[in-house]
Amino acid sequence: MLKNIKKILGVVGGVLVILGVFLPILNLGLFGKYSYFNLSINGKIIFALAIISIILSLFGRFFFLIITSVGIFSVFAYDVWKFFKLKKNLTGFIQKFEQKNPNNILIKLVKSAFQSFDVGWGWIFIVVGAFILLILFFVHVFERKFSASQIQK
């Protein structure tokens, strides 16, 4: 019974990650909303890791979920770091340009457009799904350790 629940939770975690990959992850204001799958190869890597997680869960190989969940977290964390680094660099560039040209209408337009750049809400699904997969790994390890200690008694 518990193994079936773990399989279901593994599939749910993988499906949540897949949903997060296809939901808007980046809102660029006037330029539209973009999903993680359309932005870079990293979205496709996370998609593949989610599919592998679902397959591992269906076959009851919960021990290997550590690889897929940490992989999802790592790729996602790298892209979040890259986004905030880019945003910081662009903010610095705009501020320097604004100091040199304080009354330029074009820089005010660029500044207002840049301030509308934001992270979408698809990331929530990716983080929650990967967290479920990681918890399943730890539950599996704990069960094996607990059952092994019961056998030794």
Side-chain angles (χ1 to χ4, degrees):
M1 178 71 172
L2 186 60
K3 192 167 186 172
N4 288 336
I5 292 172
K6 288 184 351 186
K7 285 181 181 182
I8 291 169
L9 284 174
V11 171
V12 167
V15 168
L16 284 174
V17 173
I18 290 172
L19 280 174
V21 167
F22 288 106
L23 291 173
I25 194 114
L26 192 59
N27 183 5
L28 298 180
L30 298 173
F31 303 107
K33 296 179 181 180
Y34 294 92
S35 70
Y36 204 23
F37 194 80
N38 294 333
L39 280 177
S40 70
I41 188 71
N42 291 350
K44 293 165 184 68
I45 291 170
I46 289 181
F47 176 76
L49 287 170
I51 295 292
I52 292 169
S53 297
I54 291 172
I55 293 169
L56 288 171
S57 296
L58 288 175
F59 285 108
R61 303 292 185 188
F62 304 107
F63 185 77
F64 297 105
L65 289 178
I66 187 72
I67 298 168
T68 57
S69 60
V70 169
I72 291 167
F73 278 125
S74 300
V75 171
F76 185 69
Y78 170 74
D79 282 337
V80 168
W81 170 77
K82 202 167 58 170
F83 170 74
F84 284 113
K85 183 179 174 186
L86 176 67
K87 192 169 181 176
K88 179 184 170 191
N89 290 341
L90 284 175
T91 303
F93 174 75
I94 289 171
Q95 286 175 350
K96 286 179 185 177
F97 194 77
E98 189 177 32
Q99 287 174 353
K100 291 180 182 178
N101 305 310
N103 294 326
N104 192 336
I105 292 177
L106 181 62
I107 194 65
K108 291 182 184 197
L109 180 66
V110 169
K111 186 177 179 182
S112 66
F114 179 69
Q115 287 175 344
S116 68
F117 287 13
D118 197 14
V119 177
W121 45 275
W123 66 272
I124 297 169
F125 289 87
I126 294 173
V127 171
V128 169
F131 193 66
I132 289 172
L133 296 172
L134 190 63
I135 288 173
L136 278 175
F137 163 76
F138 286 116
V139 166
H140 177 71
V141 168
F142 179 74
E143 281 180 347
R144 287 183 67 181
K145 188 172 184 173
F146 184 72
S147 66
S149 68
Q150 291 292 332
I151 292 172
Q152 291 176 355
K153 289 182 179 180

